[in-house]
Amino acid sequence: MPVYTLPELPYDYSALAPVISPEIIELHHDKHHAAYVKGANDTLEQLAEARDKGTWGTVNGLEKNLAFHLSGHILHSIYWQNMTGPKDGGGEPLAADGVGELADAITESFGSFAGFKAQLSKAAATTQGSGWGVLAYEPLSGRLIVEQVYDHQGNVGQGSTPILVFDAWEHAFYLQYRNQKVDFVEAMWAVVNWQDVARRYEAARSRANTLLPAP
Ligand code: MN
């Protein structure tokens, strides 16, 4: 039995059009995300084999592969849920929509929604090579932070929980936006599912904080 499985999309391939084309969503989910799921499962098997045989010469590469594939699986699993059709998504989180605590946390952490939006947009659009722009809950300070993630796993503050992720890999946009990564990131804001982001914020905040000393 594989440890990890590919989650179903919460909508059909055309749900995010015209922001993201059905062709991109199908390839991105069915091929790219699926490959990370397989990679994580394969790497766990290879680590089990290394333990059985005591062949530790491969451990550095396997641990790197595990971080890459597992992080790819996790970030894509969040990415699909973070988005909804342009009819329901986008704008900014508002108290009137039941996501006032998230809105307040963004203002407290970044000064304003506009400041946050600019920082996450820049972080996503200026990734060198492959990466992500990520809004994360950082439990030691209780603040929200923006991370510019390299590949799927680099440049991350340990212990932080991603709650809104922008995929800035070329496979996320190239078929539709060609080399215009800035345009893709700007368009992404129209399909953000703030209800999902708020749910993740509440869950991350209420989780037991293992970074603080015992009371
Ligand atoms: Mn991707």
Side-chain angles (χ1 to χ4, degrees), residues 28 76 132 167 169 171:
H28 197 169
H76 285 92
W132 298 72
D167 193 336
W169 283 53
H171 68 223

Side-chain angles (χ1 to χ4, degrees), residues 5 7 17 49 60 62 65 67 73 79-80 84 97 108 124 126 130 164 169 174 182-183 195 205 207:
T5 54
E49 191 179 321
N60 285 5
L62 291 176
N65 287 347
H73 177 30
Y79 181 62
W80 308 124
T84 188
D97 297 327
E108 284 166 22
T126 63
S130 297
L164 173 62
W169 283 53
Y174 208 85
V182 170
D183 292 349
Q195 300 290 334
R205 202 166 59 143
R207 195 174 300 158

Side-chain angles (χ1 to χ4, degrees), residues 46-110:
Q46 290 157 10
L47 282 162
E49 191 179 321
R51 287 194 299 275
D52 287 346
K53 296 181 177 171
T55 51
W56 294 116
T58 56
V59 68
N60 285 5
L62 291 176
E63 296 292 1
K64 186 172 180 220
N65 287 347
L66 182 63
F68 176 81
H69 290 295
L70 177 57
S71 299
H73 177 30
I74 288 170
L75 286 175
H76 285 92
S77 296
I78 299 169
Y79 181 62
W80 308 124
Q81 302 283 334
N82 272 170
M83 296 186 287
T84 188
K87 192 165 60 71
D88 301 317
E92 58 182 276
L94 298 171
D97 297 327
V99 293
E101 292 196 2
L102 172 66
D104 290 346
I106 287 173
T107 304
E108 284 166 22
S109 300
F110 300 99

Side-chain angles (χ1 to χ4, degrees), residues 155-205:
N155 223 21
V156 171
Q158 299 284 350
S160 61
T161 301
I163 63 170
L164 173 62
V165 300
F166 280 17
D167 193 336
W169 283 53
E170 285 190 346
H171 68 223
F173 66 89
Y174 208 85
L175 287 174
Q176 184 178 354
Y177 291 84
R178 309 295 292 269
N179 60 326
Q180 302 300 315
K181 183 156 64 172
V182 170
D183 292 349
F184 169 64
V185 169
E186 184 56 36
M188 272 289 303
W189 290 99
V191 292
V192 171
N193 182 345
W194 290 112
Q195 300 290 334
D196 183 68
V197 180
R199 181 180 67 77
R200 292 175 188 283
Y201 171 65
E202 291 306 322
R205 202 166 59 143

